Amino acid sequence: MQNPYKAYPVRIDDIQVATADKTLRTFKFVFLNPEDEEKFSYHVGQFAELSIPGQGEIPIGIASSPSEKGFVMFTVFRTGKVTSHLHNMKVGDIMGLRGPLGNWYPIENLEGKNIVIIGAGFAFTTLRSTIKYLLEPENRKRYGRLDVIYGARNPGMILYKDELVEWEKRDDINLNLTVDGTDDPDWKYHTGFVPTITETQAPQGDDDTYAILCGPPMMLKFTKPVLDKLGYQADHIFMSLENRMKCGIGMCGRCNIGKELVCKDGPVFTLDKLNEMPEEDQ
């Protein structure tokens, strides 16, 4: 039986500063052993543990798409000991990668359906993975309308700007960007919180329309009633509770919500499943 705590050795292949305040960096890793890359077969919405010997490990959503080969990508917010150490590492440094972990957005069950993707902050990483996958030519034709609503605190905190520019040019994706507030005279997109923009820009819910959400807890809390108002069925809404992830395999028990273990049973749940859980723990 394979040791679930054993990490694959990976090398940092590229580092990009992702936001104006430099608190987020995007890392591309390559596996030292080709057979490890084959074993690391993941789906959109899953996460992994980034492991640094002598420092610890941290659960992070996978930002690359399964359709992107030769590397795996993560956008990391500098917020503690492990992430601070990672931000100080260099291209060529060796560390560990454990996973893939958790369940995923069930897009394989949504062929022929319309998909609305709603995200905010640095939680947009797994949504970036999903969008990249859906926009692959062989995949895009299998789905209906694709709407994206993405918000950040200000223009400097918007992730993946170059890709957003390219997505905006396409006629097979309806992209809505928003910021909480800005005094930038060149900002040409929405200003307002994600729930507000969702209410005015998201399509009406119906039997063929599904929503995928990932973001800060407050964004999720206030977006849920908006989707309800728009007519989205609770079992047509998928939400990621990735902020609850801990050890990744449900052994430490720190991710529990009632009887559910987010690392093991999630982090993706339908809204009707979440409605069965203790609300104060979500």
Side-chain angles (χ1 to χ4, degrees):
M1 182 177 178
Q2 184 176 347
N3 181 355
Y5 292 103
K6 183 178 180 180
Y8 299 121
V10 293
R11 182 182 71 252
I12 300 176
D13 190 57
D14 184 67
I15 305 173
Q16 297 292 329
V17 176
T19 54
D21 67 357
K22 300 182 181 180
T23 60
L24 286 108
R25 294 176 185 262
T26 296
F27 297 82
K28 286 185 177 180
F29 300 99
V30 296
F31 291 87
L32 298 189
N33 304 311
E35 60 270 22
D36 291 342
E37 183 176 359
E38 293 183 12
K39 294 175 184 176
F40 194 89
S41 177
Y42 62 96
H43 301 270
V44 297
Q46 287 191 288
F47 68 102
E49 298 276 351
L50 301 183
S51 175
I52 303 175
Q55 300 297 322
E57 62 179 11
I58 187 77
I60 301 289
I62 303 172
S64 52
S65 164
S67 58
E68 296 177 295
K69 304 301 181 182
F71 67 91
V72 61
M73 187 175 89
F74 299 83
T75 298
V76 181
F77 178 45
R78 187 180 68 236
T79 186
K81 175 184 176 182
V82 179
T83 54
S84 295
H85 189 91
L86 178 58
H87 271 233
N88 290 328
M89 294 177 72
K90 308 296 183 184
V91 170
D93 286 348
I94 306 298
M95 52 180 289
L97 180 61
R98 181 163 67 85
L101 302 166
N103 64 356
W104 51 89
Y105 305 127
I107 58 173
E108 64 275 6
N109 299 328
L110 303 183
E111 292 193 12
K113 307 299 184 181
N114 305 314
I115 300 176
V116 183
I117 293 175
I118 305 170
F122 64 90
F124 193 67
T125 54
T126 58
L127 300 180
R128 183 264 180 199
S129 172
T130 307
I131 296 166
K132 286 287 290 185
Y133 182 83
L134 291 173
L135 290 180
E136 287 291 325
E138 285 302 308
N139 297 331
R140 186 64 190 90
K141 62 186 180 183
R142 298 204 298 266
Y143 298 88
R145 173 171 169 157
L146 176 60
D147 290 86
V148 175
I149 298 169
Y150 167 43
R153 291 200 308 270
N154 57 64
M157 296 300 290
I158 293 282
L159 297 173
Y160 317 124
K161 292 185 178 66
D162 291 343
E163 291 181 322
L164 293 172
V165 169
E166 294 304 312
W167 295 348
E168 188 182 20
K169 296 176 183 177
R170 300 177 61 130
D171 59 7
D172 58 354
I173 176 174
N174 180 31
L175 178 65
N176 288 278
L177 300 180
T178 187
V179 294
D180 297 349
T182 181
D183 56 5
D184 183 355
D186 296 324
W187 179 251
K188 60 179 182 178
Y189 305 103
H190 300 288
T191 301
F193 296 113
V194 167
T196 302
I197 304 305
T198 298
E199 185 167 1
T200 60
Q201 300 301 317
Q204 290 289 320
D206 56 36
D207 289 343
D208 292 323
T209 303
Y210 290 75
I212 296 175
L213 283 71
C214 189
M218 293 303 289
M219 185 219 88
L220 297 179
K221 177 180 180 180
F222 288 104
T223 303
K224 285 190 287 186
V226 170
L227 293 177
D228 181 61
K229 182 178 179 180
L230 291 172
Y232 284 76
Q233 303 170 40
D235 63 351
H236 282 40
I237 300 172
F238 299 95
M239 308 181 76
S240 178
L241 304 184
E242 63 173 31
N243 63 301
R244 299 289 301 235
M245 301 180 302
K246 300 297 180 184
C247 74
I249 57 176
M251 294 298 291
C252 72
R254 296 169 62 194
C255 66
N256 74 294
I257 302 179
K259 64 182 179 63
E260 304 293 337
L261 295 170
V262 173
C263 287
K264 185 178 179 181
D265 303 313
V268 177
F269 299 93
T270 59
L271 179 55
D272 59 348
K273 182 65 176 179
L274 287 175
N275 288 337
E276 299 174 0
M277 301 181 190
E279 184 175 355
E280 66 273 12
D281 290 337
Q282 295 179 28

